[in-house]
């Protein structure tokens, strides 16, 4: 409130606790689920939704090193084409959609362990004890061949409610 903003806790599932046509702008960074119909509902006509989202198969070189090949449905999840389709199905117009694949380098095994302990959904149930052998192999590989390279995918989407 000191800055003229009200913060509202939300259960992250519909319905959003706001009136229809309440906002000129809705933003989201790395949403787990995008409730497109709710976004369309709370945007005023002419309002904008802007979001940075994790893209498909993000850092999957590392995921598949530990878990093995993933099914195509898992690799394709969070695809920007699906976001476009779902936004348009909710009545929004896509103004801009940009996808990037960014090089990510792990220079030592400590960085790999830190990453997997922070981003717990990448290798569910990851522990050093459980993956000790794979970690030793990867450590040796990094020491002899150089950084382990993976690719982080992200996309930006800007959608507008017609009006």
């Amino acid at each position: 409130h000191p800055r003229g903003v009200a913060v509202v806790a939300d259960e992250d599932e519909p319905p959003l606790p706001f009136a229809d046509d309440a906002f000129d702008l809705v933003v989201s960074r790395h949403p787990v689920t995008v409730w497109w119909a709710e976004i369309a509902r709370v945007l005023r006509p002419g309002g904008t939704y802007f979001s940075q989202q994790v893209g498909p198969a993000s850092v999957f070189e590392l995921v598949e090193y530990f878990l093995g090949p993933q099914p195509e449905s898992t690799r394709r999840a969070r695809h920007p084409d699906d976001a476009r389709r779902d936004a348009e199905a909710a009545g929004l117009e896509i103004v801009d959609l940009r996808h990037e694949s960014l090089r990510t380098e792990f220079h030592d095994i400590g960085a790999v362990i830190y990453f997997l302990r922070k981003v717990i959904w990448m290798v569910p149930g990851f522990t050093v004890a459980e993956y000790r052998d794979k970690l030793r192999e990867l450590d040796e590989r990094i020491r002899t061949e150089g950084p382990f390279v993976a690719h982080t995918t992200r996309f930006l989407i800007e959608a507008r409610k017609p009006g």
Side-chain angles (χ1 to χ4, degrees):
H1 286 286
R3 301 216 189 299
V5 175
V7 176
V8 178
D10 176 46
E11 297 298 319
D12 195 30
E13 58 184 60
L16 292 172
F18 306 109
D20 296 357
D21 303 328
F23 300 104
D24 292 316
L25 176 65
V26 173
V27 296
S28 182
R29 181 178 173 272
H30 292 205
V32 174
T33 303
V34 180
W35 304 103
W36 290 105
E38 281 297 288
I39 292 165
R41 182 184 66 76
V42 301
L43 279 174
R44 289 187 179 127
T48 298
Y49 172 74
F50 190 71
S51 180
Q52 176 201 22
Q53 300 186 25
V54 175
S58 191
V59 196
F60 261 45
E61 295 89 345
L62 190 62
V63 169
E64 290 183 331
Y65 178 84
F66 287 97
L67 300 179
Q70 298 297 294
E72 185 57 28
S73 59
T74 300
R75 294 185 62 76
R76 194 186 182 292
R78 306 177 74 91
H79 199 283
D81 292 344
D82 297 338
R84 173 189 297 278
R85 179 199 65 226
D86 294 345
E88 289 173 344
L92 300 172
E93 298 170 346
I94 302 302
V95 175
D96 197 3
L97 179 59
R98 302 176 192 194
H99 179 262
E100 291 293 330
S101 179
L102 308 162
R103 184 179 173 94
T104 304
E105 295 184 359
F106 295 91
H107 290 267
D108 61 67
I109 203 65
V112 171
I113 293 167
Y114 182 82
F115 178 81
L116 292 175
R117 291 185 60 169
K118 277 304 236 191
V119 190
I120 60 174
W121 51 91
M122 299 303 278
V123 178
F126 173 82
T127 65
V128 171
E130 179 73 22
Y131 288 95
R132 185 173 308 281
D133 292 342
K134 294 292 278 184
L135 289 165
R136 281 194 176 121
E137 290 171 19
L138 185 54
D139 180 53
E140 182 62 28
R141 177 176 162 182
I142 291 170
R143 289 173 187 268
T144 58
E145 298 175 23
F148 183 89
V149 176
H151 295 85
T152 301
T153 62
R154 298 289 185 267
F155 67 92
L156 293 174
I157 186 166
E158 180 181 356
R160 185 167 297 126
K161 184 175 181 176

